Short mmCIF file of all heavy atoms in Angstrom, two decimals:
data_model
loop_
_atom_site.label_atom_id
_atom_site.label_comp_id
_atom_site.label_asym_id
_atom_site.label_seq_id
_atom_site.Cartn_x
_atom_site.Cartn_y
_atom_site.Cartn_z
N VAL A 394 131.16 267.32 60.70
CA VAL A 394 131.25 268.67 60.31
C VAL A 394 130.60 269.58 61.42
O VAL A 394 131.22 270.47 62.04
CB VAL A 394 130.72 268.94 58.85
CG1 VAL A 394 130.77 270.43 58.63
CG2 VAL A 394 131.58 268.14 57.97
N LEU A 395 129.29 269.55 61.51
CA LEU A 395 128.53 270.37 62.44
C LEU A 395 128.85 270.15 63.83
O LEU A 395 129.08 271.10 64.65
CB LEU A 395 127.06 270.22 62.15
CG LEU A 395 126.52 270.60 60.77
CD1 LEU A 395 125.04 270.47 60.74
CD2 LEU A 395 126.94 271.95 60.38
N GLY A 396 129.04 268.88 64.23
CA GLY A 396 129.47 268.63 65.66
C GLY A 396 130.86 269.20 66.00
O GLY A 396 131.13 269.79 67.01
N THR A 397 131.85 269.10 64.95
CA THR A 397 133.08 269.63 65.17
C THR A 397 132.98 271.16 65.29
O THR A 397 133.62 271.87 66.08
CB THR A 397 133.98 269.29 63.94
OG1 THR A 397 134.22 267.90 63.98
CG2 THR A 397 135.42 270.00 63.97
N LEU A 398 132.05 271.81 64.37
CA LEU A 398 131.93 273.21 64.48
C LEU A 398 131.39 273.66 65.83
O LEU A 398 131.78 274.67 66.29
CB LEU A 398 130.98 273.73 63.34
CG LEU A 398 130.63 275.10 63.25
CD1 LEU A 398 131.73 275.95 63.06
CD2 LEU A 398 129.61 275.46 62.12
N ASN A 399 130.42 272.91 66.40
CA ASN A 399 130.02 273.13 67.75
C ASN A 399 131.16 273.29 68.77
O ASN A 399 131.17 274.11 69.56
CB ASN A 399 128.91 272.25 68.21
CG ASN A 399 127.65 272.33 67.36
OD1 ASN A 399 127.34 273.35 66.76
ND2 ASN A 399 126.90 271.23 67.28
N VAL A 400 132.03 272.20 68.60
CA VAL A 400 133.15 272.22 69.58
C VAL A 400 134.02 273.42 69.43
O VAL A 400 134.58 274.06 70.38
CB VAL A 400 133.92 270.92 69.48
CG1 VAL A 400 135.14 270.88 70.36
CG2 VAL A 400 133.10 269.58 69.84
N LEU A 401 134.36 273.71 68.17
CA LEU A 401 135.31 274.83 67.80
C LEU A 401 134.72 276.22 68.36
O LEU A 401 135.32 276.96 68.91
CB LEU A 401 135.65 274.90 66.32
CG LEU A 401 136.32 273.75 65.77
CD1 LEU A 401 136.43 273.79 64.23
CD2 LEU A 401 137.77 273.66 66.27
N GLU A 402 133.29 276.37 68.08
CA GLU A 402 132.73 277.61 68.52
C GLU A 402 132.73 277.82 70.03
O GLU A 402 133.07 278.79 70.65
CB GLU A 402 131.30 277.64 68.05
CG GLU A 402 131.11 277.91 66.62
CD GLU A 402 129.54 278.00 66.23
OE1 GLU A 402 128.79 277.45 66.95
OE2 GLU A 402 129.32 278.45 65.07
N ALA A 403 132.40 276.71 70.71
CA ALA A 403 132.53 276.73 72.23
C ALA A 403 133.84 276.90 72.72
O ALA A 403 134.05 277.69 73.70
CB ALA A 403 131.85 275.38 72.77
N ALA A 404 134.82 276.29 72.10
CA ALA A 404 136.21 276.50 72.60
C ALA A 404 136.67 277.96 72.45
O ALA A 404 137.32 278.59 73.26
CB ALA A 404 137.06 275.57 71.81
N GLN A 405 136.24 278.58 71.24
CA GLN A 405 136.57 280.02 71.01
C GLN A 405 135.87 280.92 72.06
O GLN A 405 136.49 281.73 72.63
CB GLN A 405 136.28 280.37 69.57
CG GLN A 405 136.66 281.88 69.29
CD GLN A 405 135.98 282.29 67.97
OE1 GLN A 405 134.75 282.14 67.80
NE2 GLN A 405 136.82 282.71 67.08
N ARG A 406 134.69 280.60 72.26
CA ARG A 406 133.82 281.46 73.08
C ARG A 406 134.22 281.49 74.54
O ARG A 406 134.17 282.50 75.24
CB ARG A 406 132.25 280.96 72.94
CG ARG A 406 131.36 281.92 73.78
CD ARG A 406 129.89 281.45 73.62
NE ARG A 406 129.53 281.47 72.15
CZ ARG A 406 129.21 280.45 71.44
NH1 ARG A 406 129.29 279.31 71.91
NH2 ARG A 406 128.87 280.68 70.13
N HIS A 407 134.77 280.29 74.98
CA HIS A 407 135.11 280.18 76.43
C HIS A 407 136.61 280.12 76.69
O HIS A 407 137.06 279.60 77.70
CB HIS A 407 134.36 278.96 77.07
CG HIS A 407 132.90 279.00 76.91
ND1 HIS A 407 132.14 279.92 77.75
CD2 HIS A 407 131.97 278.43 76.04
CE1 HIS A 407 130.86 279.80 77.44
NE2 HIS A 407 130.69 278.89 76.45
N GLY A 408 137.28 280.54 75.70
CA GLY A 408 138.70 280.83 76.02
C GLY A 408 139.69 279.65 76.08
O GLY A 408 140.68 279.65 76.82
#
Side-chain angles (χ1 to χ4, degrees):
V394 177
L395 299 182
T397 297
L398 180 59
N399 292 338
V400 172
L401 295 171
E402 285 181 345
Q405 182 192 56
R406 184 177 300 113
H407 298 286

